Amino acid sequence: MEVRSPQFRQSAAAALDDARLQGALRQVRSRFIDKRAKGVASLPEFEALRENARAIKNHVLERLDLYLEAYEERVTAQGGHVHWARDASEARGIVLDLCRKANARVVTKGKSMISEEIGLNAFLERHGVAPVETDLGEYIIQLRGEHPSHIIAPAVHLNIGQVRDSFRAAHTHLPPDRAMEAPESLLAEARGVLREKFLSADVGITGANFLIAETGTSVIVTNEGNGDLTQLLPRIHIVLASIEKIVPTLDDMSQIMRLLARSATGQEMSVYTTLSTGPRRRGDLDGPEQYHVVLLDNGRSNMVGTEFQDMLRCIRCGACMNHCPVYQAVGGHAYGWVYPGPMGAVLTPTLVGVDKAGHLPNASTFCGRCESVCPMKIPLPKMMRHWREREFERHLVPADFRRGLKLWAWFARRPFLYRVFAGLGMTVLGLAGRRRGRFARLPLAAGWTAHRDLPAPQGGTFIGQWKRRRGAGR
Amino acid sequence: MQTTETARPRTALFVTCLVDLFRPSVGFAAVKLLEAAGCEVHVPVSQTCCGQPAWNSGDRADTRAIAEQVIIAFEKFDYVVAPSGSCAGMLKKHYPEVFAGDPAWQARATAFAGKVSELVSFLADEMGMAAVEATCPAKATYHDSCSGLRELGVRDQPRRLLASVKGLKLAEMKEADVCCGFGGTFAVKYPEISNAIVGEKAANVEAARPDLLLAGDLGCLMNMAGKLKRQGSAIEVRHVAEVLAGMTDAPPIGEGRR
Ligand code: SF4
């Protein structure tokens, strides 16, 4: 997927001007925030679980290699295969290879952000394999040739009218006068279309919410059950997962699981939780003949031991973006790559380079709401600040901003001169704004005054007045 | 912690650069409240800024230089109080991090951080102030500024003290705890996004139909007042300390002299 993060500013401006998108983005508030709050409130031990979950992941990240090897061993012992992929292109190659060996023409897919990260769909299509997304949201955006704008609600940027139009355009085999008003009718329509695909697919690809080292199991959670059909019906099941998905035991998984759905949608549990351990065994009634896991690194092992290690605790619940005022204002596409919102602002620079994704960690007010809701207690603002430090060190900050900052800091470090100039400046500004109490336009403050007035200073500084009133001795 | 002479804690006011430059009356309100709470108030006149603009822009060197300056000027007092959750948060939560890798200075910054509080929570939590002597006949709504709320736990203290102001009625707005879109340099680096966020905030403020909008951070207040005034709103905007101190003579933020 092309990285459009350098155009963040333009994309954000376009998003703010797009009335239909703004209407759709309202869903983020109504669908997620209150529900999460209720879900969390109904679980008194939520805070304790967060602490536990953090400890579990921190423990794993200290011994990532050991757990991954243990996991591989279990998978292999159960007749499955683990494929290690250093980067996106290796991962794509492995998947295509498996598809080719199986003579696969149609591949069904459960929801997977890793698939987005490696740009799998476009690659498979180019090589004659047809991927079919089976998660409703993913299916919709696949029809539209778009990318997800949210990590758990990929089509949240669309309204139902747009979905209806897409279905009408794509499902030409259905009667044009069919009922399409109710959301349920659209769901039923998608189900009908996808059923055919499930039955004709040669390979099923899913993501993984967890990999369990103890048992060699991969776990997915869905609300539609599409993941189960994707991985049970075809002959071959490929799991696409990144290395940080590993947890030691089933018990660890279930602890973190209690946080996941609550943080994401406020549900106690997602509707379906599916554990897969290897291919079909003799005597099993169903299951794939082959079970493959593609383990993607793509820069993650480089994060271990750095100030970005904490980001590897992320369980992709989406709470940080749901609660982010910037995400709520501009939506996910403005971020210009796979991962939007606060988690994307930290992750994207790691995966595509801060020179390209530099806007993202800057486009935050540091309000801290993301960190306060993150079930894994990831210090997102702090890590965005780390990115800003790297940018500052590498002179990636716009030159005029840097000069302004340096000038201000120069004065801030020289109290005497600061006093002289501040006193003077505020007296002048105070006099100029005395009658109206604010400025509608001011040179050097155009960004501010384009949208709001700038309150005028009262005139004179506090310190100046204090000195006069009390004498400088105190 | 108190000096014996007066038995009043020696409390230094970190007035913050915005209050110093834009609204000195908030500083005087803070002094009045601290004295009413029994503090001996000191104002080190060498203070400029907490360094947050540099810190949040990734400029560690300047941040450190400024932080050293602040610590040197303020560490000798019993308490350090700022009429801002954001600047108090910087001094209390971030200074120790600024000196990461320098154990001697980090220890000093950590000891210093232990003395720092935001004004209203300091009055309520440290000085045990339960009520104020003030009158303000108005219907007010209170915005929770982000750093105060999430870094320092400032939420109930201002509401409790406001409840003791004679004539004041508090009406909660929707999403009082959601950012106003100021974010320091964010407001000038991404003005359109900042505008969208403060537009949302202004709508929530208006919907509560108050006469008065209050908060504990001048940056947020200037942002919200700027938006409300641009939209022609009649809602007055003030720092919570002005109302608690009963010092509402100065024109509200963004209003001229009548
Ligand atoms: S950073 Fe935290 S809140 Fe955001 S998606 Fe990851 S786990 Fe969820």
Side-chain angles (χ1 to χ4, degrees):
Chain A
M1 177 175 170
E2 188 199 352
V3 182
R4 294 186 45 83
S5 307
Q7 291 95 287
F8 174 80
R9 208 180 272 288
Q10 295 87 318
S11 314
L16 288 167
D17 276 343
D18 183 340
R20 192 150 60 170
L21 172 66
Q22 290 296 320
L25 283 174
R26 297 253 140 215
Q27 299 179 67
V28 174
R29 290 165 214 248
S30 58
R31 268 173 64 183
F32 297 116
I33 295 190
D34 295 348
K35 288 184 185 148
R36 174 198 170 271
K38 281 198 196 98
V40 168
S42 68
L43 189 68
E45 64 268 41
F46 191 78
E47 275 313 305
L49 278 172
R50 279 175 90 190
E51 279 303 333
N52 247 345
R54 170 162 75 173
I56 291 169
K57 279 278 190 176
N58 281 350
H59 167 91
V60 172
L61 291 172
E62 295 301 324
R63 306 158 183 79
L64 197 52
D65 48 345
L66 290 182
Y67 280 113
L68 285 169
E69 278 166 20
Y71 168 79
E72 179 184 27
E73 216 170 275
R74 293 304 306 149
V75 173
T76 313
Q78 283 149 167
H81 304 271
V82 173
H83 310 262
W84 300 84
R86 258 174 310 203
D87 55 23
S89 112
E90 276 191 16
R92 287 190 300 257
I94 293 165
V95 173
L96 180 63
D97 216 39
L98 291 170
C99 290
R100 284 208 168 129
K101 280 194 190 127
N103 278 324
R105 308 274 296 277
V106 176
V107 171
T108 44
K109 291 182 66 210
K111 196 172 147 19
S112 156
M113 291 310 293
I114 297 300
S115 159
E116 295 291 334
E117 184 179 323
I118 65 175
L120 185 61
N121 284 3
F123 179 80
L124 288 180
E125 272 164 23
R126 267 205 309 283
H127 291 86
V129 180
V132 180
E133 295 289 350
T134 65
D135 171 89
L136 180 61
E138 293 280 354
Y139 177 67
I140 293 167
I141 58 169
Q142 187 182 24
L143 288 184
R144 299 173 61 88
E146 295 181 349
H147 292 284
S149 68
H150 188 289
I151 59 173
I152 66 157
V156 75
H157 58 285
L158 299 172
N159 63 32
I160 186 161
Q162 290 168 294
V163 176
R164 208 173 281 130
D165 294 346
S166 303
F167 278 19
R168 237 185 250 292
H171 303 159
T172 45
H173 61 290
L174 296 173
D177 57 349
R178 64 194 186 272
M180 295 181 85
E181 274 317 303
E184 297 76 41
S185 57
L186 296 179
L187 182 64
E189 183 168 321
R191 283 229 163 104
V193 174
L194 286 173
R195 187 154 305 136
E196 306 291 312
K197 308 282 185 187
F198 280 127
L199 295 172
S200 64
D202 310 290
V203 172
I205 300 177
T206 66
N209 292 90
F210 300 95
L211 302 173
I212 298 162
E214 167 187 56
T215 56
T217 301
S218 59
V219 184
I220 57 169
V221 297
T222 71
N223 280 328
E224 297 163 15
N226 62 305
D228 299 57
L229 296 177
T230 302
Q231 66 181 47
L232 281 178
L233 295 179
R235 282 185 295 121
I236 297 174
H237 178 197
I238 302 175
V239 178
L240 272 181
S242 48
I243 53 174
E244 83 281 11
K245 289 281 178 282
I246 195 102
V247 293
T249 65
L250 283 167
D251 185 56
D252 295 325
M253 180 270 289
S254 55
Q255 294 218 34
I256 302 176
M257 191 76 93
R258 298 183 71 197
L259 297 167
L260 177 57
R262 280 188 174 85
S263 300
T265 55
Q267 292 164 284
E268 284 182 23
M269 289 270 281
S270 301
V271 179
Y272 298 87
T273 299
T274 310
L275 286 72
S276 334
T277 311
R280 179 195 302 212
R281 292 165 302 187
R282 197 191 303 270
D284 281 354
L285 292 178
D286 54 17
E289 289 162 23
Q290 294 177 30
Y291 176 82
H292 298 270
V293 182
V294 180
L295 271 181
L296 178 72
D297 184 337
N298 212 20
R300 287 167 175 81
S301 54
N302 290 336
M303 293 163 71
V304 176
T306 71
E307 60 261 65
F308 301 108
Q309 174 169 321
D310 290 342
M311 194 61 223
L312 295 173
R313 291 203 299 266
C314 176
I315 55 173
R316 306 288 190 267
C317 72
C320 55
M321 58 198 73
N322 295 337
H323 290 77
C324 174
V326 175
Y327 179 92
Q328 287 176 358
V330 303
H333 286 156
Y335 290 78
W337 200 57
V338 177
Y339 301 106
M343 57 82 77
V346 176
L347 207 52
T348 307
T350 347
L351 300 181
V352 308
V354 72
D355 47 331
K356 286 198 195 125
H359 271 298
L360 310 190
N362 280 285
S364 160
T365 65
F366 280 167
C367 77
R369 210 174 173 213
C370 50
E371 181 177 356
S372 76
V373 297
C374 173
M376 304 307 286
K377 298 196 133 188
I378 298 172
L380 295 154
K382 179 171 151 181
M383 284 187 287
M384 288 183 227
R385 188 180 302 105
H386 285 319
W387 277 123
R388 296 185 191 185
E389 281 165 9
R390 299 234 178 146
E391 288 181 275
F392 196 85
E393 281 160 20
R394 289 176 52 189
H395 289 261
L396 294 171
V397 179
D400 49 348
F401 182 79
R402 194 184 173 94
R403 266 197 299 276
L405 188 73
K406 280 283 170 199
L407 183 69
W408 161 85
W410 192 88
F411 276 106
R413 293 168 64 169
R414 288 164 181 80
F416 178 74
L417 289 174
Y418 181 91
R419 279 289 131 231
V420 173
F421 281 88
L424 217 66
M426 291 307 123
T427 305
V428 172
L429 274 182
L431 282 174
R434 189 177 163 84
R435 243 164 41 96
R436 262 191 98 228
R438 56 186 185 267
F439 303 101
R441 210 174 299 131
L442 205 64
L444 295 179
W448 181 285
T449 52
H451 306 286
R452 61 216 127 175
D453 292 349
L454 182 70
Q458 288 173 325
T461 64
F462 172 80
I463 298 289
Q465 295 178 34
W466 175 265
K467 280 202 228 169
R468 247 172 286 134
R469 283 195 202 179
R470 305 238 175 163
R474 296 177 67 176
Chain B
M1 257 191 150
Q2 301 178 353
T3 48
T4 44
E5 239 183 323
T6 59
R8 291 193 300 161
R10 300 178 71 239
T11 305
L13 179 66
F14 184 85
V15 75
T16 79
C17 60
L18 281 180
V19 167
D20 180 35
L21 300 179
F22 277 83
R23 207 161 168 81
S25 61
V26 173
F28 289 106
V31 172
K32 183 175 171 193
L33 285 165
L34 289 170
E35 287 180 341
C39 299
E40 181 185 299
V41 180
H42 297 257
V43 180
V45 296
S46 66
Q47 58 182 296
T48 58
C49 172
C50 67
Q52 197 172 171
W55 178 237
N56 285 347
S57 303
D59 179 358
R60 279 199 97 107
D62 280 318
T63 311
R64 184 184 163 127
I66 294 169
E68 282 181 16
Q69 198 174 287
V70 172
I71 292 172
I72 290 168
F74 283 82
E75 66 187 342
K76 59 175 179 281
F77 296 98
D78 298 330
Y79 294 114
V80 178
V81 176
S84 155
S86 167
C87 309
M90 178 71 196
L91 269 51
K92 195 173 183 67
K93 299 282 163 169
H94 296 274
Y95 272 16
E97 233 182 280
V98 170
F99 295 100
D102 181 342
W105 262 103
Q106 192 167 40
R108 209 165 153 186
T110 307
F112 167 77
K115 302 180 171 191
V116 176
S117 296
E118 178 277 338
L119 173 68
V120 182
S121 53
F122 174 76
L123 295 171
D125 300 341
E126 302 287 335
M127 301 307 290
M129 193 186 255
V132 292
E133 291 292 327
T135 305
C136 182
K139 181 174 163 191
T141 196
Y142 180 84
H143 162 75
D144 296 282
S145 290
C146 298
S147 312
L149 176 70
R150 282 179 270 270
E151 288 185 342
L152 306 173
V154 181
R155 195 178 69 182
D156 300 335
Q157 306 91 330
R159 290 180 171 82
R160 271 206 315 272
L161 287 180
L162 283 171
S164 73
V165 173
K166 285 186 205 69
L168 191 94
K169 221 177 93 206
L170 203 60
E172 290 292 337
M173 70 174 115
K174 215 177 100 200
E175 301 185 336
D177 64 344
V178 173
C179 181
C180 74
F182 174 60
T185 53
F186 174 82
V188 287
K189 277 199 287 187
Y190 300 95
E192 290 89 8
I193 304 175
S194 175
N195 175 52
I197 301 173
V198 72
E200 201 66 45
K201 176 58 71 177
N204 282 331
V205 172
E206 294 272 10
R209 302 191 157 278
D211 313 310
L212 188 57
L213 166 63
L214 301 174
D217 270 85
L218 192 52
C220 317
L221 285 162
M222 288 173 61
N223 182 39
M224 294 185 292
K227 187 68 188 174
L228 286 166
K229 296 301 137 188
R230 175 65 59 93
Q231 295 177 342
S233 167
I235 295 169
E236 296 191 347
V237 183
R238 287 187 187 279
H239 193 285
V240 64
E242 300 173 52
V243 170
L244 294 178
M247 289 170 62
T248 50
D249 297 339
I253 297 167
E255 301 284 0
R257 294 187 189 275
R258 268 160 274 179

